Amino acid sequence: AQRVTQPEKLLSVFKGAPVELKCNYSYSGSPELFWYVQYSRQRLQLLLRHISRESIKGFTADLNKGETSFHLKKPFAQEEDSAMYYCALRGSQGNLIFGKGTKLSVKP
Amino acid sequence: EADIYQTPRYLVIGTGKKITLECSQTMGHDKMYWYQQDPGMELHLIHYSYGVNSTEKGDLSSESTVSRIRTEHFPLTLESARPSHTSQYLCASSDVVTGIYGYTFGSGTRLTVV
């Protein structure tokens, strides 16, 4: 089965604290994984892809095939990071399969 | 400007009415998708298209239908709206090249059926 699991519905941290948004996947084969973000009243937009191993807005995510995880991390959270975050897996038919999302709330 | 557009942004409609949600993209993308985003914010794929005259149902069963007569246009139709159709509908597109970068999403249509 192809599946993305985001175990936390809500994650609340204080400004300056480290953040880790968890994502686990189920996929037979070589996975392609993405993180999307949806800020309040804005479109869903791509944050980063595992293929590019990039850091966007201070966020990074490393694919761990042994643990089938793709956790999103940031060492020091900012208030503007408050948003809904979705982990996504490209399925065998080429479509993106999304997790249920995690709402990140960064308190001042 | 190359983008993906959804209209209307908000729609309140009575039960039994026929509605069409519009989605157009000016990026020349061959692949287009409709997702339903429920109140818990989970995203479900309801329809997709890989090109003109190609449409497929997604993972979530939906009473809606879609058409793809032109590359840039991918409207979604509900023949008879019901309160259970109340949701946010997101349109997205990608192509063979940008597909590796993920999808481009529209702003969404928030539908309320009363």
Side-chain angles (χ1 to χ4, degrees):
Chain A
Q2 300 167 82
R3 188 170 56 244
V4 176
T5 303
Q6 293 181 252
E8 303 139 330
K9 200 166 185 177
L10 172 65
L11 184 63
S12 186
V13 301
F14 285 102
K15 177 182 171 181
V19 169
E20 183 179 53
L21 298 160
K22 293 188 179 353
C23 172
N24 289 90
Y25 66 90
S26 173
Y27 187 72
S28 56
S30 192
E32 286 182 57
L33 289 149
F34 304 81
W35 275 100
Y36 279 80
V37 60
Q38 191 171 30
Y39 301 103
S40 179
R41 300 184 189 279
Q42 292 189 29
R43 301 186 189 191
L44 194 60
Q45 56 187 284
L46 179 66
L47 182 62
L48 52 81
R49 308 158 288 151
H50 93 270
I51 271 180
S52 56
R53 299 186 63 82
E54 57 207 341
S55 173
I56 304 292
K57 299 184 179 182
F59 284 98
T60 58
D62 290 318
L63 176 62
N64 186 324
K65 290 187 178 180
E67 296 182 359
T68 59
S69 69
F70 188 55
H71 303 327
L72 183 68
K73 299 177 184 179
K74 185 169 183 176
F76 307 104
Q78 303 299 315
E79 288 181 69
E80 56 264 31
D81 295 329
S82 295
M84 197 74 185
Y85 291 81
Y86 294 92
C87 184
L89 164 74
R90 186 183 302 285
S92 56
Q93 295 189 335
N95 302 324
L96 287 184
I97 301 164
F98 286 87
K100 293 186 178 183
T102 297
K103 184 173 182 178
L104 174 64
S105 174
V106 182
K107 300 177 181 177
Chain B
E1 181 181 337
D3 205 348
I4 182 164
Y5 302 94
Q6 287 189 247
T7 56
R9 285 294 305 275
Y10 303 93
L11 179 62
V12 180
I13 200 161
T15 298
K17 299 290 186 183
K18 177 179 178 179
I19 56 169
T20 296
L21 308 184
E22 301 289 348
C23 176
S24 294
Q25 50 94 5
T26 56
M27 297 172 284
H29 287 173
D30 50 358
K31 298 180 181 180
M32 296 188 75
Y33 314 84
W34 276 103
Y35 282 84
Q36 186 171 337
Q37 189 173 31
D38 68 20
M41 304 297 280
E42 189 173 354
L43 288 158
H44 298 284
L45 179 66
I46 51 174
H47 298 283
Y48 61 97
S49 166
Y50 285 167
V52 171
N53 294 326
S54 152
T55 61
E56 301 287 343
K57 289 189 178 294
D59 305 320
L60 181 68
S61 175
S62 174
E63 292 164 346
S64 58
T65 58
V66 292
S67 62
R68 190 89 183 275
I69 299 172
R70 302 197 315 267
T71 298
E72 62 272 21
H73 196 212
F74 191 42
L76 181 144
T77 298
L78 278 165
E79 290 292 333
S80 179
R82 294 209 301 267
S84 61
H85 296 138
T86 294
S87 189
Q88 168 140 277
Y89 293 84
L90 299 179
C91 184
S93 71
S94 70
D95 65 15
V96 173
V97 175
T98 63
I100 63 174
Y101 298 96
Y103 296 175
T104 301
F105 279 88
S107 299
T109 293
R110 186 168 295 279
L111 173 66
T112 302
V113 184
V114 298

